[in-house]
């Protein structure tokens, strides 16, 4: 049993809704098949975007969607992807499988998808192999209201009004696939490119610099020192790879207890990364103006056997669900610095929300976690005090419990909880201070088999259920988390 103090009168700031963001990349079957099937497809669609996936994603109220990559972004030339589809350039997607990219999904299609989802676009510009002019003109094309060469071209391509575009990334992974640059060199390049990412017609861009990969603290130091004042946000990428080895990352399914434990241990490293990168940022930006944008995170396993190694297609089990819950709780706790996070990738790639096969679609356990956690978006974070029991495997111990709490605008208190142990349930007693709690309800995501996943034959094997047995007495909330589970509790006054 663990005692938790929930302080309802100590608000810790807003949990920015963009923490619940996602990432779409021209990689494998994410864009083509997953999101875009084209207007002429027998799969029911809205202007080429498949309806089943669209409807599923609409329910999550996704706040922000990143596009077009990833590594793809620094090879993408946006002009190839506008105008009549029959005339669009064909290219090779050199990063991801060497397949043909016909550019049928381009700027107009992405921004239409965002409109249909009610989500804010976050576009990653090409610094690695594109020109400053190309980047400047992309922003002009999208946002300029009035007469200009790019605005006129946009209009001739069927879009009279400019779009609103807030989030713009100036390169991606420029320490690696985006040009193998040194931080000193990239910092100068960032300053040059970012100068031409202009605010047109009242549109205000939030500029995001390419930040470090996991624990590259030197990169963060140099970027903040040399370019911190020219940016609004800086990215951080951290993937959870069970073995820690790129050559054999571990399987998405069919894993054992040791892999379960190691994977969760590795994902908890996100906490240390945020603490240490924040410390560096505090030196150069003590007011906390610049945000951390965790624009790639999630699990990365070996591809599903028999699938194209360049497509990075993986299944998604209860392990991914618990891992998603843990990371979202961590991001909530760092709500002051973390302005945005984007899980990689939304459909058919790494830790996806949705998988498709032909005209079939399924929701992954990770989808359900995002659904349950929606309640935290734009809510006031509340302070929690507790000491988690340890979860020991072999010689190693990690915390068994991961928690987060917030109060939504309508006054409802929400607690999200993950039990990391694959064997032991956990009773949680939450003392709600300074509030009169009257009623309680909850949802739980759990399966007797921690390796369970949804298939096209059994798409509803894992789905949230009503959480019975939660009690509330004299402001004492009590619930029992089954092993390997994620829960959300709502407390009304
Ligand atoms: O998510 C797959 C790839 O991982 C992205 O394209 C890249 O940015 C990162 O290395």
């Amino acid at each position: 049993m663990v005692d938790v103090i929930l302080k309802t009168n100590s608000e810790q700031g807003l949990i920015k809704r963009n923490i619940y963001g996602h990432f779409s990349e021209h990689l494998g079957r994410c864009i083509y098949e997953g999101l875009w099937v084209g207007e002429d497809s027998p799969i029911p669609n809205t202007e080429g975007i498949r309806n089943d996936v669209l409807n599923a994603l609409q329910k999550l109220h996704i706040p922000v969607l990143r596009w077009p990559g990833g590594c793809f972004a620094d090879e993408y030339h946006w002009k190839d992807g506008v105008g009549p589809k029959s005339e669009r350039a064909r290219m090779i997607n050199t990063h991801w499988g060497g397949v043909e990219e016909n550019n049928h999904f381009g700027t107009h299609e992405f921004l239409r998808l965002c409109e249909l989802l009610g989500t804010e676009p976050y576009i990653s510009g090409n610094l690695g192999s594109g020109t400053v002019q190309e980047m400047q003109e992309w922003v002009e094309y999208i946002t300029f209201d009035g007469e200009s060469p790019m605005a006129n071209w946009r209009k001739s391509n069927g879009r009279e009004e400019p779009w609103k575009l807030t989030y713009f990334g100036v390169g991606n992974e420029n320490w690696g696939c985006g040009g193998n640059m040194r931080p000193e060199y990239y910092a100068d390049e960032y300053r040059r490119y970012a100068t031409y990412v202009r605010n047109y017609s009242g549109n205000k861009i939030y500029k995001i610099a390419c930040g470090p990969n996991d624990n590259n603290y030197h990169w963060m130091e140099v970027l903040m020192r040399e370019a911190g004042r020219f940016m609004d946000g800086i990215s951080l990428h951290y993937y959870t790879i069970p073995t820690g080895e790129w050559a054999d990352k571990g399987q998405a399914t069919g894993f054992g207890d040791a892999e379960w434990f190691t994977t969760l241990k590795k994902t908890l490293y996100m906490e240390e990364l945020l603490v240490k990168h924040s410390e560096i940022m505090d030196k150069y930006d003590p007011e906390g103006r610049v945000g951390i944008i965790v624009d790639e995170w999630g699990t990365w396993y070996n591809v599903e056997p028999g699938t194209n190694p360049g497509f990075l297609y993986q299944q998604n089990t209860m392990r991914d669900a618990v891992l998603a819950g843990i990371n979202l709780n961590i991001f909530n706790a760092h709500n002051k610095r973390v302005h945005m996070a984007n899980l990689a990738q939304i459909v058919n790639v790494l830790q996806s929300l949705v998988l498709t096969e032909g005209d079939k679609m399924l929701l992954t356990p990770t989808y359900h976690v995002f659904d349950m956690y929606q309640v935290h978006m734009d809510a006031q974070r509340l302070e929690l005090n507790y000491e988690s029991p340890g979860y020991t495997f072999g010689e190693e111990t990690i915390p068994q419990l991961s928690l987060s709490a917030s109060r939504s605008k309508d006054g409802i208190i929400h607690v999200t909880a993950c039990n990391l142990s694959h064997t032991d349930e956990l009773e949680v007693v939450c003392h709600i201070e300074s509030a009169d709690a009257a009623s309680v309800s909850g949802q739980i995501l759990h399966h007797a088999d921690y390796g369970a996943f949804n298939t096209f034959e059994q798409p509803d094997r894992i789905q949230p259920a009503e959480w019975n047995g939660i009690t509330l007495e004299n402001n004492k909330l009590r619930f029992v988390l089954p092993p390997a589970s994620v829960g959300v509790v709502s407390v009304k006054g």
Side-chain angles (χ1 to χ4, degrees):
M1 201 263 274
V2 54
D3 278 301
V4 176
I5 310 290
L6 170 53
K7 299 194 170 178
T8 60
N9 62 357
S10 123
E11 295 187 338
Q12 302 293 309
L14 273 194
I15 296 174
K16 294 166 190 67
R17 59 191 294 105
N18 285 348
I19 284 177
Y20 292 82
H22 290 278
F23 172 34
S24 54
E25 180 164 10
H26 289 244
L27 196 182
R29 298 184 300 115
C30 179
I31 300 292
Y32 301 107
E33 286 186 47
L35 291 164
W36 175 262
V37 287
E39 293 92 340
D40 301 331
S41 170
I43 297 176
N45 66 83
T46 303
E47 298 163 50
I49 297 162
R50 59 187 291 170
N51 289 344
D52 50 358
V53 174
L54 187 60
N55 293 339
L57 297 179
Q58 278 166 338
K59 293 190 183 122
L60 295 185
H61 305 106
I62 290 171
V64 62
L65 184 61
R66 181 174 183 239
W67 174 84
C71 292
F72 181 82
D74 279 272
E75 291 203 22
Y76 183 62
H77 300 282
W78 70 271
K79 290 181 184 174
D80 292 346
V82 297
K85 293 198 176 65
S86 58
E87 293 169 22
R88 293 190 191 176
R90 292 165 170 225
M91 60 183 273
I92 301 295
N93 191 332
T94 37
H95 267 290
W96 305 121
V99 293
E100 184 189 274
E101 161 65 58
N102 64 15
N103 278 303
H104 282 192
F105 190 89
T107 303
H108 289 249
E109 291 75 21
F110 171 66
L111 291 167
R112 181 66 183 134
L113 169 65
C114 290
E115 282 173 350
L116 291 169
L117 288 174
T119 191
E120 285 229 51
Y122 164 15
I123 289 186
S124 290
N126 179 349
L127 181 144
S129 71
T131 63
V132 174
Q133 182 181 355
E134 201 179 340
M135 192 178 284
Q136 181 266 318
E137 287 180 340
W138 202 2
V139 177
E140 179 189 326
Y141 184 94
I142 294 170
T143 62
F144 194 86
D145 191 9
E147 288 281 317
S148 89
M150 289 301 117
N152 291 351
W153 192 23
R154 180 191 72 229
K155 290 174 197 171
S156 72
N157 285 333
R159 172 79 185 198
E160 189 64 27
E161 299 296 313
W163 288 277
K164 176 175 176 281
L165 174 67
T166 304
Y167 302 103
F168 195 88
V170 183
N172 169 74
E173 296 199 349
N174 303 95
W175 37 261
C177 64
N180 285 309
M181 298 175 191
R182 292 172 304 110
E184 293 79 5
Y185 180 77
Y186 171 73
D188 281 347
E189 285 292 87
Y190 171 81
R191 290 167 58 140
R192 184 163 79 105
Y193 277 71
T195 304
Y196 301 93
V197 175
R198 300 209 185 276
N199 294 324
Y200 294 113
S201 315
N203 184 75
K204 174 91 178 68
I205 303 266
Y206 177 108
K207 295 177 195 174
I208 300 168
C210 162
N213 192 33
D214 56 54
N215 62 2
N216 189 344
Y217 300 116
H218 176 62
W219 185 280
M220 179 62 93
E221 181 86 39
V222 174
L223 260 291
M224 286 304 294
R225 189 182 67 222
E226 303 298 337
R229 63 188 185 283
F230 299 98
M231 63 177 78
D232 300 298
I234 183 160
S235 65
L236 168 66
H237 288 184
Y238 174 57
Y239 283 101
T240 304
I241 300 170
T243 62
E245 299 293 333
W246 285 101
D248 181 7
K249 298 181 267 301
Q251 292 303 127
T253 59
F255 50 85
D257 299 349
E259 288 106 316
W260 168 275
F261 181 88
T262 316
T263 308
L264 298 189
K265 178 169 174 261
K266 282 188 188 296
T267 220
L268 287 167
Y269 186 47
M270 182 66 88
E271 167 70 23
E272 181 179 325
L273 290 174
L274 291 176
V275 168
K276 291 192 172 164
H277 283 299
S278 297
E279 276 168 16
I280 297 169
M281 293 175 77
D282 288 348
K283 275 202 295 181
Y284 299 97
D285 174 36
E287 322 77 54
R289 186 187 61 80
V290 179
I292 297 181
I293 308 293
V294 192
D295 57 18
E296 290 187 30
W297 69 274
T299 51
W300 195 332
Y301 308 117
N302 296 337
V303 299
E304 283 302 298
T307 65
N308 186 330
F311 281 13
L312 310 186
Y313 176 68
Q314 66 187 38
Q315 250 295 357
N316 196 297
T317 69
M318 271 309 299
R319 177 173 59 167
D320 297 270
V322 174
L323 185 144
I326 294 169
N327 279 280
L328 293 172
N329 287 345
I330 293 174
F331 299 149
N332 287 354
H334 287 270
N335 59 327
K336 297 223 166 81
R337 266 295 174 201
V338 179
H339 287 192
M340 189 194 294
N342 310 75
L343 180 67
Q345 280 89 358
I346 193 161
V347 187
N348 286 340
V349 190
L350 298 177
Q351 192 173 349
S352 296
L353 301 175
V354 168
L355 302 179
T356 67
E357 194 178 86
D359 62 356
K360 295 197 277 271
M361 180 202 75
L362 64 80
L363 308 179
T364 66
T366 299
Y367 174 98
H368 294 305
V369 173
F370 272 83
D371 195 8
M372 291 159 71
Y373 273 59
Q374 282 193 54
V375 291
H376 286 311
M377 284 200 253
D378 284 341
Q380 274 291 338
R381 181 165 76 82
L382 300 177
E383 190 180 335
L384 289 164
N385 289 326
Y386 67 102
E387 201 164 317
S388 171
Y391 162 38
T392 301
F393 188 81
E395 305 283 291
E396 296 184 292
T397 300
I398 57 175
Q400 185 184 354
L401 178 64
S402 163
L403 279 183
S404 187
S406 69
R407 188 201 337 257
S408 54
K409 287 199 183 90
D410 51 9
I412 302 174
I413 293 171
H414 298 282
V415 180
T416 48
C418 309
N419 182 359
L420 281 64
S421 170
H422 67 289
T423 47
D424 297 346
E425 64 177 31
L426 181 61
E427 182 181 5
V428 179
V429 178
C430 202
H431 305 266
I432 304 176
E433 282 189 2
S434 336
D436 282 325
S439 69
V440 69
S441 61
Q443 279 194 308
I444 187 81
L445 192 71
H446 169 248
H447 194 281
D449 172 8
Y450 64 46
F453 53 95
N454 291 332
T455 64
F456 294 101
E457 294 69 44
Q458 283 185 287
D460 296 328
R461 226 173 141 211
I462 298 174
Q463 54 179 328
E466 197 180 325
W467 195 357
N468 299 315
I470 307 174
T471 62
L472 180 67
E473 224 178 289
N474 301 326
N475 283 341
K476 206 188 278 184
L477 170 69
R478 194 185 291 269
F479 53 86
V480 177
L481 281 162
S485 64
V486 182
V488 56
V489 180
S490 307
V491 184
K492 291 189 182 156

